[in-house]
Amino acid sequence: MTDRRRWRAIPLLVLCVLLLGGCAARSVTADREPVAARQVRVTTTTTMITDAVRRIGGDRVQVTGLMGPGVDPHLFKASARDVRSLRDADLILYGGLGLEGKMGDLLADLAARQPTAAVTDGIPRAALLTHPGSPEPDPHVWFDVALWEDCARTIADRLATLDPQHADVYRVNLDSYLAELSALDTEVRARIAAIPPAQRLLVTSHDAFAYFGRRYGIEVAAIQGISTAAEATTADVERVAELLASRRVPAAFIETSVPRRTVDALLAATAERGFGAHIGGELYTDSAGEPGTPEGTYPGMVRTNAELIASALGAPGREG
Ligand SMILES: [Zn+2]
């Protein structure tokens, strides 16, 4: 290196040291600042969890949701930016039960080094559904609103453990959320009960509604299994088409987070049996809708689904 180059390199080196030193100092200060004196940084996976953490955490939390509307959690892979957000979080909240199928190893690594919890941890194991051939319980618990109440309690507990000085804030917000969920549970039950009994069959592309069916009294059938990772076979399509045609159920449903081609194949197979079923609408299954729309929240997505299912399967319209 010539002298001139060396002299030029020194200020650059000093600048680098200053920048790095500055970053390190800032991050140490931020980490040492107790959470009680600032917002709690929470990183979440699905939109349903993000929405619940916003409700329960209120102004006390700064929530980063990794999965936006329409994102399929079974197939989601964390980017380098997502990993940074997870590492920077005071608390990580995810669905668990294998929902975030491609993030399992990452979440296990994070759990070993920082506060990390599955929101489904508080659900009694006996309340979980299992399906033949699947090693883990069905992760789609949010469609039973009573089970989602358990998830909400777990979220509030975790926030209060991390930020005990504001435990009363989380308690008040939780109570208000639980009251809303209880009313929602009653509303959904009434809408599904209004469907004529013979037509109480919910057909979707992937098997996300087993908890919904059990809680609200509607039989469910799906072309794919509980994960979207496995492709549907022709035999699956024929089996469900036979069910739709023989029961004369007027509609099957597509899903916001799953491509519609399997349901299109199903309706074609049903038509070959001489029965014309139609698409009853697009259900919000593994993700809520766009923020700012009625279905952009967890209660809104459940209400929208129940209304679509009820009206497409022949329930009389709501009064008023
Ligand atoms: Zn799913």
Side-chain angles (χ1 to χ4, degrees), residues 243-289:
L243 194 60
L244 265 183
S246 64
R247 295 270 297 267
R248 308 195 75 72
V249 173
F253 296 85
I254 54 177
E255 303 172 42
T256 54
S257 54
V258 185
R260 60 178 285 165
R261 59 179 183 273
T262 50
V263 177
D264 288 334
L266 170 72
L267 295 185
T270 310
E272 279 169 21
R273 287 168 166 78
F275 179 68
H278 65 280
I279 287 181
E282 192 175 29
L283 300 178
Y284 294 89
T285 48
D286 292 357
S287 128

Side-chain angles (χ1 to χ4, degrees), residues 123-145:
I123 297 175
R125 297 295 102 171
L128 295 173
L129 289 169
T130 51
H131 299 275
S134 178
E136 296 215 61
D138 184 337
H140 302 89
V141 298
W142 55 92
F143 285 124
D144 174 337
V145 177

